[in-house]
Amino acid sequence: MSPLVAVEPEGLRCERGGFYIDPAGSVDVAVITHAHADHARIGSKRYVCSARSLEVLRARLGPDAVIEPREYEERFALGETTVSLHPAGHVLGSAQVRIEHDRAGVCVVSGDYKRDPDPTCDGFATVECDTFVTEATFALPVYRWRDPEAIVSELFDWWRSERAHPTLVFCYAFGKAQRILAHLASRTDEPVYIHGAMDKLTDAYRRSGVRLANTKTIPESSSPKDFAGSLVLCPPSAHRSPWMKRFKAPQTAFVSGWMAVRGQKTRRGYERGFVLSDHADWPSLVRTVEETKARTVLVTHGSSDALARYLREARSIDARPLGHLYEGDEGEG
Amino acid sequence: MKVFCALYRGLDDASGNNEKIALMREYFRSAPAHDAAWALYLLLDKKKSALSSGALRQRLIELTSMPEWLFEECRSHVGDTAETVALLLHMLPAAEADESLTSLSLHEWMEREIPSCPRDDAAAQREALGRFWRALDARDALVLNKVLTGAFRVGVSVGLVQRALAEALEVEGTRIQHALTGEWAPSAGLFDALRDARASLDVSKPYPFMLAHPLEADFAFEPGQWQVEYKWDGIRGQVVKRDGQVFLWSRGEELVSEAFPDLCEPLAKLPDGTVIDGEILAWDEEGKRPAPFAVLQTRLQRKKLTAAHLREAPAHVIAYDLIEWGGVDWRERPLTERVAQLEAIVREQALSALTVSERFEPKDREALEALRESARERGAEGVMLKDRASTYQPGRKRGLWWKHKREPMTVDAVLVFAQAGSGRRANLFTDYTFALWRGGELVTFAKAYSGLSDEELVELDKWIRKNTREKHGPVRVVEPAHVFELAFEGIAKSARHKSGLAVRFPRILRWRRDKPASEADTVERAEALLNL
Ligand SMILES: [Zn+2]
């Protein structure tokens, strides 16, 4: 029996179900795990996503896209298969895709996921399966996350220690920014400035019922004194850009799992790094793979070779790299 | 220990020198004197390693039973062994943490715990490191690992540390500099001694060296203003004669007297209270000129000096300057006065092992350049220009002293191997090995790490990944396609590389995109430089 999913030029394809998962190209039916730019691309005829994902995916794909929302755990038919979506804990609405077929068994495609608590999205649900397709963005044992609350507290204190100049916090515009805002909601009433690129998605989170700190979008024209002592969230692409010139002597930080390694922080030129990731760390990856009880594990993204080899040699699991599915945005992490 | 680790992280994150100075000043003010002395010792990079990074790696692999290849994957991703080990400590099997370690002070760690970890007993090392690592969180363990391996670099210069200390103790900076030059012990009484302005100095103490900037492009030469002399290619050092003893110090503030009995003996003729700044060289007695640097280097590498070594490569000092005379600090006097006195001393004492560096008076810029070009045949690195009125100041003071090195030697060589860098360059292939042609074969010639722009580094990294022919551990063998112009300061015969040659201070001058590999230079062409 051939496997339920295979890598093709357009992306990960389930032939028996007649759909693709997070396709790179234009297809008839696209099942979307989550609305990050490298997973949700315009151009397909019909999209299936989790109901919690609808607002953010709509913001990404535009008003004309045909989107079919499904509740988590709702079972629906696609081709010869029965499909259901399950929380992945990555960002608002993120889902694992469970595919069931009479003869080919059960396959779960994780998409991006994490196991740490996150106030902006439903927590990861373990789904047992025969074949598990896992991400491996941070699949080296040097990556192990600390308690997110502790990290946000450090970030908060660091901001509060600087009242004369702005504090610029660089983070991915979808997911990480809102996660920080959600953690800050209980800590401050002071409005947090956000970069224009975060505007639409932050609204979409609020419409989905997620409680966030007060925000103010940075106006086109502003004077440096407006930002003294303020916290500003902005995407990594704005770092060292002309846009940054409006801030006088800011302190800067990058919030990302990559910041666990000192060389990364220095190389990217940030003063501070806060290690907060929306991806699973090494212990979570290994634990999750074991909890799914999958007999075959396919590994994609990042350090897939290392994770697959470790699972094979140290855990006796039939694991192999699935090749590069997505052109990952390094800003995400 | 915890407070010191927090200082380390603060310095690591600090963006400017003022912030770094403020952090250190606060630490020196508030920390107990004994801990502060140790912190100073570590910040000034005085601590020698207690363990190799290889031992650290091996003990971690044993304690966690993780596969070796996985450790290597991690290390090449992180770029630093001490940091990789710290990040992997969560893999240790659970065991009771030794509570007595968690609240130990820095000096207790440095004087009791770390010395208890033996250099050459793997089992005892495993036991000690297991205890240390379980007592600290990953972030503090990083600092401990850096201290253990003696690679405690956190981006603060000696000058910054000294400034912070001078501010914390409210004493003059020059005093601190002088007192901290050379060897000293991190004791509880150190700070009191530094505070006490009348405390007598250790008789062996040298002065902080005065250094020169490279000549700037828009430099205008005024003949009357400058003292011009050769820049000799040896070990910059100070001869200290006090209390009937001679001490030889290198610029790295290492006491090197023992390596030069043939200097210490004749220089004992100098009167007490004399400090001379000069260059220690191997001497070609027949030619009355310096022997190549390689000769001095071979002599330094000998564990024991025999009479034959001393005969083959006798040492000599070419003196540049007089810093102390009659027990009085002469640094505030003008250069002309210091040098005149230096000449008088050497004349009176009739010293065989020391001569005063010859001074020149080029009448214009052209004559200066001619003198600089003559440096190579004289066995010198270039020329020095010193303002005649300059006082002797620690460090590099712009505009007082300039160095004007001769043009470097260059060859065009082919990139053949690449290896990932460390620190900022981890994950990028930035350590290169270059080769030259011999017959139809490329033979390795030199390694070089610096000289390319960040853009070029990234571009070359991509190319290396796509054009790897073989992998040997961390080393990639690449297609011999790209030619680089390499510059270096000296060349000598050596078995280190296949070409049979070794060069000093090799660096990449530029990427010769215009040249195919077949047009790179030959070993014969490089050998021709040997005789220059
Ligand atoms: Zn994602």
Side-chain angles (χ1 to χ4, degrees):
Chain A
M1 182 91 328
S2 60
L4 267 172
V5 292
V7 177
E8 297 202 359
E10 291 83 9
L12 191 62
R13 183 180 184 200
C14 174
E15 199 184 350
R16 293 191 183 84
F19 63 91
Y20 284 80
I21 297 172
D22 298 346
S26 306
V27 302
D28 288 340
V29 182
V31 177
I32 301 297
T33 62
H34 66 289
H36 269 141
D38 51 339
H39 293 261
R41 293 187 170 87
I42 52 169
S44 289
K45 286 194 186 135
R46 185 180 143 213
Y47 294 90
V48 179
C49 72
S50 77
R52 294 288 287 153
S53 198
L54 184 60
E55 289 288 350
V56 281
L57 191 62
R58 178 66 71 197
R60 171 86 67 203
L61 298 177
D64 300 330
V66 179
I67 306 179
E68 195 178 305
R70 296 284 182 175
E71 292 301 327
Y72 284 134
E73 284 164 34
E74 174 190 343
R75 293 165 70 86
F76 53 97
L78 279 177
E80 300 170 17
T81 62
T82 306
V83 176
S84 55
L85 303 177
H86 305 263
H90 175 55
V91 292
L92 176 62
S94 63
Q96 311 173 67
V97 183
R98 180 184 184 278
I99 312 163
E100 189 176 339
H101 184 268
D102 299 345
R103 281 158 294 132
V106 175
C107 171
V108 170
V109 178
S110 75
D112 293 344
Y113 67 96
K114 70 168 174 290
R115 306 296 301 262
D116 301 279
D118 177 344
T120 66
C121 60
D122 299 69
F124 181 92
T126 304
V127 183
E128 291 187 10
C129 54
D130 304 308
T131 303
F132 185 54
V133 181
T134 181
E135 66 139 314
T137 308
F138 289 102
L140 283 175
V142 291
Y143 292 107
R144 177 182 175 251
W145 314 141
R146 291 164 56 216
D147 171 26
E149 276 292 340
I151 304 284
V152 175
S153 289
E154 281 170 20
L155 186 144
F156 182 78
D157 294 343
W158 175 69
W159 163 37
R160 286 302 179 176
S161 69
E162 174 59 84
R163 303 312 280 165
H165 298 285
T167 292
L168 264 56
V169 168
F170 293 83
C171 56
Y172 207 54
F174 166 39
K176 193 68 61 63
Q178 293 77 23
R179 188 176 174 197
I180 295 170
L181 290 169
H183 274 290
L184 290 175
S186 60
R187 287 178 168 84
T188 181
D189 292 329
E190 199 176 311
V192 175
Y193 280 99
I194 58 172
H195 185 277
M198 295 171 172
D199 205 25
K200 268 204 314 191
L201 287 157
T202 303
D203 271 351
Y205 266 69
R206 287 209 177 89
R207 281 200 305 279
S208 303
V210 181
R211 187 173 162 245
L212 303 178
N214 297 325
T215 57
K216 234 190 214 175
T217 306
I218 300 203
E220 265 315 306
S221 64
S222 48
S223 96
K225 67 176 185 329
D226 298 346
F227 305 112
S230 292
L231 176 64
V232 182
L233 301 188
C234 35
S237 56
H239 191 223
R240 291 175 169 164
S241 70
W243 178 88
M244 228 177 110
K245 290 208 176 76
R246 70 189 70 206
F247 303 104
K248 212 175 138 228
Q251 56 172 359
T252 62
F254 188 32
V255 182
S256 163
W258 299 114
M259 294 297 98
V261 171
R262 282 168 79 227
Q264 287 276 354
K265 188 194 78 175
T266 325
R267 184 141 69 94
R268 290 169 195 238
Y270 296 100
E271 289 160 30
R272 285 289 297 255
F274 291 96
V275 187
L276 187 72
S277 177
D278 286 329
H279 293 270
D281 60 4
W282 171 267
S284 302
L285 289 168
V286 176
R287 167 162 77 106
T288 304
V289 162
E290 295 194 314
E291 284 175 3
T292 63
K293 301 191 174 130
R295 276 166 303 167
T296 304
V297 174
L298 303 173
V299 188
T300 173
H301 259 90
S303 308
S304 47
D305 290 348
L307 180 60
R309 182 171 171 190
Y310 178 81
L311 292 172
R312 272 196 318 272
E313 294 181 5
R315 308 279 166 147
S316 311
I317 293 173
D318 171 25
R320 56 181 181 270
L322 185 59
H324 275 282
L325 258 188
Y326 317 105
E327 283 298 314
D329 176 353
E330 261 220 292
E332 193 197 332
Chain B
M1 180 73 169
K2 288 220 176 303
V3 188
F4 178 69
C5 291
L7 171 68
Y8 177 93
R9 280 192 289 280
L11 292 173
D12 197 29
D13 289 337
S15 51
N17 286 347
N18 288 339
E19 198 181 336
K20 289 179 184 171
I21 289 176
L23 284 166
M24 288 188 282
R25 186 180 57 221
E26 283 321 303
Y27 178 86
F28 290 139
R29 271 189 191 147
S30 55
H34 201 169
D35 289 345
W38 270 107
L40 183 65
Y41 202 69
L42 291 167
L43 289 167
L44 291 175
D45 255 331
K46 295 273 180 191
K47 176 85 175 77
K48 301 280 182 290
S49 76
L51 283 180
S52 67
S53 53
L56 217 60
R57 165 188 182 279
Q58 218 40 51
R59 299 299 87 82
L60 179 90
I61 289 174
E62 291 158 9
L63 283 164
T64 57
S65 16
M66 73 188 289
E68 240 178 279
W69 65 263
L70 187 56
F71 182 91
E72 280 312 312
E73 285 277 327
C74 291
R75 206 213 65 88
S76 86
H77 181 79
V78 172
D80 175 86
T81 302
E83 186 181 354
T84 307
V85 167
L87 290 170
L88 290 173
L89 293 183
H90 65 93
M91 311 270 284
L92 290 174
E96 200 88 357
D98 182 348
E99 294 292 337
S100 71
L101 286 176
T102 48
S103 54
L104 282 194
S105 65
L106 178 61
H107 81 268
E108 287 168 318
W109 271 102
M110 300 306 301
E111 292 175 7
R112 202 177 71 209
E113 297 305 327
I114 292 178
S116 80
C117 180
R119 225 171 214 296
D120 46 12
D121 178 345
Q125 266 177 19
R126 204 157 45 233
E127 201 273 326
L129 289 175
R131 238 164 31 87
F132 295 172
W133 284 335
R134 285 197 177 88
L136 303 172
D137 70 22
R139 298 183 309 162
D140 290 355
L142 167 67
V143 181
L144 175 75
N145 290 348
K146 294 253 165 200
V147 171
L148 283 168
T149 51
F152 191 81
R153 277 176 290 270
V154 68
V156 289
S157 64
V158 173
L160 281 192
V161 180
Q162 290 175 343
R163 256 176 71 195
L165 184 62
E167 288 179 21
L169 298 179
E170 294 173 16
V171 296
E172 244 181 277
T174 48
R175 226 203 108 63
I176 295 278
Q177 277 167 359
H178 191 183
L180 293 180
T181 308
E183 280 165 10
W184 47 273
S187 65
L190 176 75
F191 277 34
D192 287 337
L194 291 175
R195 260 193 216 100
D196 183 359
R198 291 153 305 161
S200 68
L201 290 170
D202 176 351
V203 291
S204 75
K205 283 262 177 271
Y207 290 85
F209 283 83
M210 178 156 176
L211 306 171
H213 270 286
L215 197 67
E216 285 168 1
D218 58 356
F219 176 79
F221 182 65
E222 284 289 336
Q225 188 187 351
W226 302 98
Q227 170 182 312
V228 181
E229 63 199 357
Y230 282 124
K231 183 180 188 318
W232 299 101
D233 188 11
I235 303 171
R236 177 87 182 278
Q238 278 178 38
V239 180
V240 176
K241 170 73 197 309
R242 292 189 194 113
D243 270 11
Q245 285 173 276
V246 175
F247 305 94
L248 286 179
W249 290 92
S250 75
R251 214 196 94 190
E253 294 178 11
E254 254 178 285
L255 196 55
V256 293
S257 318
E258 280 184 7
F260 297 99
D262 50 341
L263 287 179
C264 291
E265 200 203 296
L267 291 174
K269 268 167 89 182
L270 286 167
D272 276 343
T274 307
V275 179
I276 292 170
D277 176 345
E279 198 87 17
I280 302 171
L281 299 148
W283 198 243
D284 171 356
E285 272 298 343
E286 253 161 59
K288 294 283 171 221
R289 52 169 280 165
F293 186 79
V295 176
L296 182 64
Q297 208 168 28
T298 356
R299 187 177 147 161
L300 284 171
Q301 282 157 359
R302 301 252 181 268
K303 284 229 169 63
K304 263 185 95 176
L305 282 169
T306 63
H309 297 138
L310 297 178
R311 216 168 33 241
E312 272 162 33
H316 190 86
V317 174
I318 296 186
Y320 297 129
D321 213 327
L322 179 68
I323 316 177
E324 182 180 306
W325 174 239
V328 177
D329 183 349
W330 268 48
R331 291 180 295 172
E332 287 303 311
R333 303 184 186 219
L335 177 66
T336 41
E337 193 184 337
R338 299 197 307 269
V339 173
Q341 185 59 42
L342 175 67
E343 296 222 294
I345 298 167
V346 175
R347 228 177 11 247
E348 275 162 34
Q349 308 296 332
L351 294 167
S352 56
L354 182 145
T355 43
V356 179
S357 190
E358 193 182 349
R359 295 185 301 287
F360 300 89
E361 287 177 2
K363 60 183 194 310
D364 51 22
R365 181 67 189 251
E366 210 175 310
L368 174 71
E369 292 304 324
L371 187 69
R372 172 193 179 211
E373 278 317 302
S374 72
R376 195 184 308 269
E377 66 206 41
R378 292 292 303 270
E381 271 188 294
V383 291
M384 295 286 298
L385 290 86
K386 297 177 177 172
D387 191 316
R388 290 176 192 277
S390 60
T391 56
Y392 193 96
Q393 300 189 27
R396 282 191 174 81
K397 289 281 184 306
R398 188 170 296 276
L400 295 182
W401 286 13
W402 300 106
K403 58 182 173 194
H404 194 27
K405 287 196 181 182
R406 65 189 191 208
E407 296 291 344
M409 305 185 216
T410 63
V411 292
D412 290 334
V414 184
L415 172 68
V416 288
F417 307 146
Q419 207 173 335
S422 53
R424 200 173 77 90
R425 290 168 162 192
N427 286 339
L428 284 180
F429 286 96
T430 55
D431 296 357
Y432 313 117
T433 303
F434 297 94
L436 298 172
W437 292 104
R438 178 157 59 204
E441 195 196 358
L442 279 168
V443 291
T444 57
F445 167 69
K447 283 186 162 206
Y449 310 92
S450 62
L452 293 178
S453 70
D454 281 359
E455 289 76 35
E456 286 173 323
L457 282 179
V458 171
E459 183 186 345
L460 195 54
D461 174 75
K462 278 200 183 132
W463 181 86
I464 289 165
R465 287 170 200 277
K466 284 204 195 109
N467 294 277
T468 299
R469 284 208 308 207
E470 290 163 48
K471 292 182 191 175
H472 297 292
V475 178
R476 302 263 182 131
V477 180
V478 300
E479 295 292 331
H482 288 295
V483 178
F484 295 82
E485 186 178 356
L486 304 183
F488 43 92
E489 298 304 323
I491 183 165
K493 288 199 176 354
S494 156
R496 198 181 331 157
H497 297 291
K498 253 194 176 170
S499 59
L501 298 168
V503 295
R504 288 189 79 203
F505 304 129
R507 68 238 180 227
I508 301 166
L509 222 48
R510 64 198 165 108
W511 190 339
R512 293 292 309 256
R513 296 175 196 262
D514 54 322
K515 265 198 178 182
S518 59
E519 286 176 26
D521 282 322
T522 59
V523 174
E524 292 72 46
R525 152 95 173 59
E527 280 170 346
L529 299 170
L530 277 171
N531 305 319
L532 283 179

